[in-house]
Amino acid sequence: MINDQDTPRKMERVSRNQVETNERFYNIPKALFENEFYADMKLETKMAYAILHDRFLLSIKNNWIDKNGDVYLIYKNSDLQTILSVGEKKVISLKKELADFGLLEEERQGLNKPNRLYVGNINVDFEVIHRASPLGDKELSKRQVRNCQNDRSRTSKTTAQEQSKRQSSETNLSETETNSFDEDEVNNNNNSKNSQQSFIAIGKIIQTNPELRSVVQSLIPDLLLNEPQQAEIVVRALDRGYHFLTTELEKGNSVLTLQKQLQGEVAIKQLLLNTGINQVDYMRDHLIDISQYGKYFASGFDNRLKIAVTTTQSVSGF
C-alpha cells in the first residue's frame, strides 16, 4: 500500500501571469519621509512620485531617452487618475506639488503628441527629521518628532537624556514622558508667541517699505508660513539691502544709475529680488540646518549686494 505522503506532488509551474502580477511593489524613497525638506509633502504626492518612478524600466525598454541622455516618461493624467482613484484636478494638483519640490518637469512635444515627464532625483542632503543615531526597532514617538521640527538644537540633547532614562528605569517611564510632554507644551506656546511677534514685525517692515511686499512674496512664501522667525531675519536683511541700494543710487553709483536708466523705477527692486534668488539657490545646495537660514541668508545677501554695486559684471544679474 502506498502512503499518500510518499506520493510525489505534482509541481505547479509559475506562469507568466503570476510573474507579472504577484508580489509587485512600488518603492517610495525613505528620504520623502525622513528629510526636513519633504516634511510638508502630501502622502498622495509621495505615492504619485513612486508610481512615476516605477515607469523607468518601461522607458528604458521603449528607449525614451532624450539627446542629453535623460530618461523621460509618457504617462497620461488619466492613467494616474485610474491607479490613484482620484479625479483629474487632484492629479494636476499632485503633479504641481511634485514640480514645486523639484521632482517633476513636464515638457510639451507639440500638437497631438503626449507630454514628456521628467522625474527629478530625491535630495538626500537636507537635514533629517529623525535623530542621527538610529534607534533600531524602536520608533520615534510623535512628541519626539515634534521636538525635532520645533526645536532641533534642544531635541538632540533632550531626546538623548530621555533615551538614557528609559534604559535605566522602566518604572519611571510614565512620569518622564508626562513631564517631557508638559515641557514641550510650554515650548510650543513660546514658539507660537515668537511666531506671532515675527509676523507682526514683518508686517510693520512691509508697511513702512511697500516695495518689499512683492520681493518677499516671490522669494520666501514657504518660509513665511513655516518658519516666521527665520523669515523675519530675511525680511530685515531685504529692508537693509533696499536702503543700501537707494543710498548708493543717491550717491551716484554708476552701476545702479545705468540700470535705472535701462529699467526705470523697478531697477532697485529687481536687483534686490535677483540677488535674493541667487543667495537662496546657493543655500539650497549648502544649507543643512533650517535654524540658521536667516543668519546664513543675511550674511551672504549683504556680501552679494556690495559686490553687485561695485562691478559691471553684476549688470547681467538684474
Side-chain angles (χ1 to χ4, degrees):
M1 179 176 180
I2 301 177
N3 193 313
D4 290 341
Q5 295 179 349
D6 297 330
T7 304
R9 184 178 175 218
K10 184 179 180 180
M11 185 185 75
E12 294 182 5
R13 297 180 178 178
V14 177
S15 67
R16 175 180 176 179
N17 182 62
Q18 288 175 312
V19 172
E20 293 178 342
T21 61
N22 188 45
E23 295 296 330
R24 295 191 300 147
F25 300 92
Y26 287 115
N27 295 316
I28 306 180
K30 287 185 178 181
L32 290 180
F33 297 92
E34 296 179 342
N35 286 19
E36 182 76 17
F37 183 69
Y38 303 110
D40 295 328
M41 182 184 287
K42 296 183 183 68
L43 182 60
E44 294 165 298
T45 305
K46 297 174 183 180
M47 191 66 227
Y49 179 86
I51 292 170
L52 292 173
H53 199 278
D54 186 68
R55 302 280 291 188
F56 274 133
L57 289 178
L58 179 61
S59 294
I60 297 296
K61 181 179 179 180
N62 292 334
N63 197 33
W64 290 341
I65 304 173
D66 65 18
K67 60 183 180 181
N68 297 320
D70 297 326
V71 181
Y72 61 86
L73 314 177
I74 302 295
Y75 206 54
K76 299 178 181 178
N77 285 354
S78 57
D79 294 331
L80 267 179
Q81 288 177 238
T82 300
I83 200 166
L84 289 173
S85 299
V86 297
E88 184 176 11
K89 288 185 178 180
K90 185 65 174 180
V91 166
I92 293 174
S93 175
L94 297 178
K95 290 171 70 176
K96 182 180 183 303
E97 185 171 27
L98 284 173
D100 290 342
F101 277 90
L103 296 179
L104 184 66
E105 291 181 0
E106 193 161 3
E107 186 177 282
R108 298 184 181 277
Q109 294 192 84
L111 188 63
N112 297 326
K113 291 184 178 180
N115 293 347
R116 290 181 176 181
L117 298 181
Y118 289 87
V119 178
N121 290 313
I122 296 293
N123 194 326
V124 297
D125 294 329
F126 285 89
E127 181 183 2
V128 177
I129 292 176
H130 303 300
R131 69 181 76 190
S133 56
L135 296 178
D137 295 332
K138 297 182 179 179
E139 297 178 350
L140 285 173
S141 66
K142 292 181 180 179
R143 175 181 52 75
Q144 290 170 321
V145 173
R146 188 172 67 249
N147 283 345
C148 292
Q149 294 172 329
N150 292 339
D151 193 348
R152 295 162 187 81
S153 61
R154 182 185 62 80
T155 299
S156 59
K157 179 179 180 180
T158 303
T159 53
Q161 292 173 345
E162 292 171 354
Q163 176 70 6
S164 176
K165 290 179 181 178
R166 285 196 295 271
Q167 291 174 341
S168 62
S169 178
E170 291 295 332
T171 58
N172 292 330
L173 177 60
S174 298
E175 182 180 355
T176 301
E177 291 291 324
T178 303
N179 291 340
S180 297
F181 181 81
D182 292 339
E183 180 185 347
D184 291 338
E185 291 302 313
V186 172
N187 287 328
N188 286 338
N189 290 334
N190 290 336
N191 286 336
S192 178
K193 291 180 181 179
N194 291 336
S195 296
Q196 290 179 345
Q197 292 173 355
S198 292
F199 279 126
I200 293 173
I202 291 171
K204 289 181 178 179
I205 294 172
I206 293 178
Q207 186 177 12
T208 304
N209 189 357
E211 292 291 328
L212 293 179
R213 182 181 299 276
S214 60
V215 176
V216 172
Q217 291 176 341
S218 299
L219 195 63
I220 54 168
D222 294 334
L223 196 68
L224 281 171
L225 295 176
N226 301 323
E227 298 285 346
Q229 295 173 55
Q230 298 301 316
E232 180 188 352
I233 301 175
V234 172
V235 173
R236 290 188 182 280
L238 291 172
D239 187 47
R240 288 196 307 272
Y242 183 85
H243 289 294
F244 167 73
L245 292 177
T246 53
T247 300
E248 285 294 312
L249 182 61
E250 292 173 356
K251 292 179 179 179
N253 182 281
S254 58
V255 175
L256 295 176
T257 300
L258 174 60
Q259 288 308 308
K260 186 175 181 180
Q261 292 174 353
L262 295 174
Q263 296 183 326
E265 297 299 326
V266 299
I268 295 295
K269 186 166 65 175
Q270 193 62 47
L271 174 57
L272 202 70
L273 177 59
N274 287 343
T275 304
I277 290 174
N278 290 336
Q279 178 61 18
V280 169
D281 287 343
Y282 177 83
M283 290 165 60
R284 188 176 292 116
D285 295 331
H286 296 83
L287 183 65
I288 295 178
D289 187 357
I290 190 66
S291 67
Q292 298 297 313
Y293 192 102
K295 180 180 178 181
Y296 204 112
F297 176 89
S299 176
F301 182 73
D302 290 345
N303 290 333
R304 287 176 185 272
L305 280 185
K306 291 175 182 178
I307 295 174
V309 299
T310 56
T311 174
T312 55
Q313 293 179 352
S314 66
V315 172
S316 60
F318 280 83

